[in-house]
Each structure stands twice: as C-alpha cells, then as structure tokens.
Amino acid sequence: MKNILVTGGAGFIGSAFVRQMIARHPELNIIVLDLLTYAGNLNNLLAVSDEPNYRFVQGDIASRSDCAVVLKEYAIDTVVNFAAESHVDRSILEPDAFIRSNTLGVNVLLDEACRAGIGRFLQVSTDEVYGDVAPGAFSVEDDPMLPNSPYSASKAGAELLVRAWRVTHGLDTVITRGSNTFGPYQYPEKLMPFFITEAIDGRPLPLYGDGQQQRDWLYVDDHARGIACALFHGESGRVYNIAGEHQARNVEVTHQILDLLERPASLVRHVPDREGHDLRYAMRCERLKALGWQCEHNFEEAAASTVRWYQENEWWWRPIKSGDWRDWYQRQYADRLAAADG
Ligand code: NAD
Ligand code: TYD
C-alpha cells in the first residue's frame, strides 16, 4: 500500500481516519475524493491541509469519470470508501440520494477501482445492516443482514456488491461494520452533536418516542483505528464488526449530555417516533480484537470530552446551523415539536 484513496474523507469519520493516517503513516499518500455534500466540510481537514502526503479532489463516487481520473492520476493502489448519505431520518424523507450514493456509487467505485487494478478495497459499513437486535442478543459477522430503513438497505446493497466484485472479479475486499459513532466534527443532525449544540443554546431536545431505544456507542478515534486495523491486517473477503461495547438508551445519553452541560431536564420533549425505528443495535467484535484492535476510550470520558469540544469550537458548528440545516430542522422537527407541546 502506498497511495490510498479515501472517498468521503471530508465527512465525520472519514476525516478522523485521514487525520490519523497522516499523523501515523508519513510513508503513505492519502488522497481524499469527496463530493462535499451538506455533510462534507473542508474544515474537518484543516489540520492536514498543508501536509505533503495529503491531496483533496472534489468529486462524486457515482461518476465514472471522477473515479477513473483520480484512480489513474494518483496511481491509487488502495480504496477506503466512507462516501455515503448517512442520516436515517433523511433516508425516510428522501431515499433516492441514498440509493444513488450508497449503492449505485459503490457499484461505480468498485468497477472503476477494479479496472484500475487496485489492491485492497475496504467498504465502511454499519451495524444497522443487521436490523433490530432482540434484548440480550448481539450481532456477529455471519448473522444475516435484515435492514429496516432506506439508509441501512442502501448500505446492505453496497455490501452485496462488494461481495460480488470479490467473487466475480477476484477483488481483494474487506468490510467493516461500525456502531453509532460520536466525537468532534460530527454534523449536528445526529443525536449527540444535535442535542449537545441545541442544549448549549437552551433549546428543546426532541427525543423520539419513549427514548428507550438502545445503541452501541463508539468514539470516533476508536472507529477510525478499527478501520485501519482491518485495512492493514484484515483477511481478504471478511467482515469485521467495530463496537464500543457500551450500550445505552437514548434517554440515558440525553440526560448525560444535559448533566455535562448543567442544563435542566425540562429541555427534553418526547416527540412522535421515527417511522420503522429499530429498537436496539448491539454487536460483538471478537474478530477484530483477534487482529489486535481494542477500544481505548470509555464512554463517560469520551462523552465529556466531546461535549467540551462542541463548547470550545462554536466556530465549527455555528455556521453549519444556518441555511440547509435550518430547512432540515423545520421539515423534521417543527410538526413533531408542535405535537409534543400541544
Ligand atoms: P458523513 O455524512 O459525516 O460524511 C459523508 C461524507 O461523504 C461527506 O463528506 C459527503 O460529502 C461525502 N459524500 C456523500 N456522497 C458522496 C458521493 N456520491 N461521492 C463522494 N463523496 C460523497 O458520514 P459519517 O458519519 O462520517 O459516515 C461515514 C461512513 O461511515 C458512511 O459510509 C456511514 O454509512 C458509515 N458509518 C457511520 C456511522 C455513524 O455513526 N456516523 C456508523 C457506522 C458506519
Ligand atoms: P442517530 O444519531 O440518527 O443515529 P441512528 O439512527 O443511525 O442510530 O440516532 C440515534 C438514536 O437517537 C436513534 O435511536 C434515534 C434517536 N434520535 C432521537 O430520539 N431524536 C433525534 O432528534 C435524533 C436525531 C435521533
């Protein structure tokens, strides 16, 4: 491996992966290809923008020419694909963009990468492909994929394409399935950055339904290290779960955020639930641990430092919470909050 293409590297997890790779692997060239959708942000890559082994190219994984040009120009030998539409609520309202980037885009990227004769292709996937997990149970890699949202269905579709390229064309592929990730530079539509930034401003926190849904929470640096571990040491054709092994209910996470910010519980509003809401995700990740990876951050400390980061970095999120974000807020929450208040 020498020239690594990181698609979607201007997003939340992709940019953490890029910052880590640049810091730890000066011998590798990191080329980011990112469309810069509403969620892509070059401020996430400011820390590496002057590094000699980093390049940024704006482009679309669903465009054959964008992929072919970057693969050839930078003699890419490895692809790590983060590029995706990533928010479940948006996939319920606007599924087309998810199928386009997450499924069709992966088809184009796989095909062009294969034609360019690359070595390894790593697809970043999610625990949501397993679907809802019964209380007490934990998903392992060989469990069936039973996705329930347009987002998770589009990611499961991508995984099947990755499998097909391996079997049909002999491409060296690895898939990672990470759990709910949190940390600095996360677009403030996902639960933690949304609630942290809203609570800082003393605004209502719209908790879906009874708030009893459970997620496994994984700190972003642990997720990025897990992807690097699977990239360097993973067995070809395998899937690797990456979990923080910290399951918590949404209502608990919400109150932890409020306590850290010293904001009142009265900010919580129980609003009408998300359609098709998966109640629980939980995974075991012994397969990745066997490669030497382990989670280094405990949830309480990582949540506290994440809250502090949003308190200290308003320059990053305040400009985002205008324009496109406001339109999204109106569409997703105006009626729900009105129903809760009524
Ligand atoms: P994000 O929404 O913050 O970033 C996605 C990035 O992809 C953005 O920079 C965007 O501009 C780019 N992008 C979107 N469509 C593109 C296209 N067609 N061509 C090129 N670039 C495009 O997402 P994230 O939270 O960083 O997630 C990254 C990956 O990790 C996704 O594949 C997601 O499914 C997966 N994942 C996310 C989580 C999580 O909790 N956030 C958990 C597990 C897996
Ligand atoms: P989210 O961050 O959107 O991640 P995912 O849907 O991929 O798990 O949501 C995490 C949990 O928080 C999920 O159960 C939905 C819930 N949630 C709310 O209750 N209110 C909100 O405004 C958001 C964005 C999420």
Side-chain angles (χ1 to χ4, degrees):
M1 286 182 203
K2 172 124 186 69
N3 301 321
I4 303 188
L5 180 65
V6 180
T7 50
F12 165 51
I13 308 170
S15 66
F17 177 80
V18 170
R19 294 190 304 271
Q20 241 179 45
M21 294 298 274
I22 295 281
R24 294 177 189 187
H25 294 282
E27 75 284 7
L28 299 175
N29 295 315
I30 305 296
I31 297 91
V32 170
L33 177 75
D34 196 296
L35 187 56
L36 295 181
T37 66
Y38 77 93
N41 187 344
L42 287 178
N43 283 339
N44 300 358
L45 292 165
L46 272 182
V48 298
S49 59
D50 292 331
E51 297 296 332
N53 58 336
Y54 161 80
R55 291 283 179 282
F56 178 81
V57 180
Q58 184 167 6
D60 184 353
I61 61 161
S63 154
R64 286 200 174 266
S65 58
D66 286 0
C67 292
V69 167
V70 79
L71 284 158
K72 182 152 184 263
E73 188 171 336
Y74 294 96
I76 299 298
D77 51 47
T78 306
V79 174
V80 183
N81 179 37
F82 291 89
E85 292 292 334
S86 65
H87 192 36
V88 173
D89 289 322
R90 288 192 193 243
S91 83
I92 294 168
L93 293 179
E94 291 167 357
D96 294 10
F98 287 72
I99 304 305
R100 185 185 177 281
S101 286
N102 302 6
T103 316
L104 289 175
V106 172
N107 167 64
V108 170
L109 183 61
L110 278 166
D111 200 33
E112 291 299 329
C114 201
R115 284 171 201 271
I118 67 149
R120 177 152 281 195
F121 185 107
L122 187 144
Q123 168 68 5
V124 178
S125 192
T126 164
D127 63 353
E128 303 196 22
V129 297
Y130 293 116
D132 199 53
V133 183
F138 291 87
S139 303
V140 291
E141 289 85 348
D142 294 331
D143 287 351
M145 292 195 285
L146 295 167
N148 292 319
S149 72
Y151 163 68
S152 53
S154 71
K155 295 292 289 184
E159 287 203 28
L160 294 176
L161 290 169
V162 170
R163 175 190 160 85
W165 253 263
R166 178 174 59 80
V167 175
T168 305
H169 300 290
L171 190 64
D172 171 9
T173 63
V174 171
I175 293 172
T176 58
R177 294 182 184 146
S179 61
N180 277 66
T181 306
F182 68 99
Y185 301 104
Q186 186 170 28
Y187 190 89
E189 64 188 353
K190 306 277 166 50
L191 180 77
M192 285 190 65
F194 176 42
F195 279 14
I196 292 167
T197 55
E198 291 292 271
I200 287 174
D201 284 345
R203 286 160 52 86
L205 308 186
L207 195 58
Y208 295 152
D210 58 9
Q212 293 301 312
Q213 307 83 1
Q214 270 183 302
R215 296 292 183 265
D216 177 277
W217 292 96
L218 173 64
Y219 188 60
V220 65
D221 289 352
D222 285 325
H223 193 166
R225 272 191 313 101
I227 291 167
C229 178
L231 179 68
F232 293 134
H233 309 297
E235 199 179 305
S236 190
R238 289 216 117 176
V239 176
Y240 293 90
N241 289 347
I242 311 177
E245 296 186 321
H246 176 88
Q247 289 103 43
R249 296 179 192 280
N250 294 338
V251 67
E252 294 163 358
V253 173
T254 303
H255 285 285
Q256 275 171 302
I257 291 171
L258 288 170
D259 289 348
L260 285 163
L261 287 166
E262 297 178 356
R263 292 287 190 273
S266 57
L267 289 183
V268 176
R269 302 282 189 288
H270 286 273
V271 301
D273 209 346
R274 172 188 281 175
E275 298 82 353
H277 199 166
D278 283 335
L279 264 180
R280 180 170 181 269
Y281 302 132
M283 293 190 288
R284 296 271 185 234
C285 51
E286 304 313 315
R287 194 180 272 183
L288 189 66
K289 287 182 188 167
L291 298 183
W293 174 88
Q294 61 176 24
C295 199
E296 285 180 357
H297 294 85
N298 95 4
F299 179 80
E300 275 69 26
E301 282 168 20
S305 77
T306 298
V307 165
R308 255 195 325 276
W309 188 87
Y310 287 92
Q311 285 179 300
E312 290 167 1
N313 289 280
E314 295 194 5
W315 70 273
W316 183 84
W317 59 267
R318 286 230 181 260
I320 295 174
K321 290 183 96 171
S322 60
D324 186 275
W325 186 91
R326 291 225 156 274
D327 295 345
W328 166 250
Y329 183 89
Q330 270 306 109
R331 282 183 71 189
Q332 180 65 14
Y333 297 107
D335 288 349
R336 280 189 156 90
L337 283 166
D341 288 338

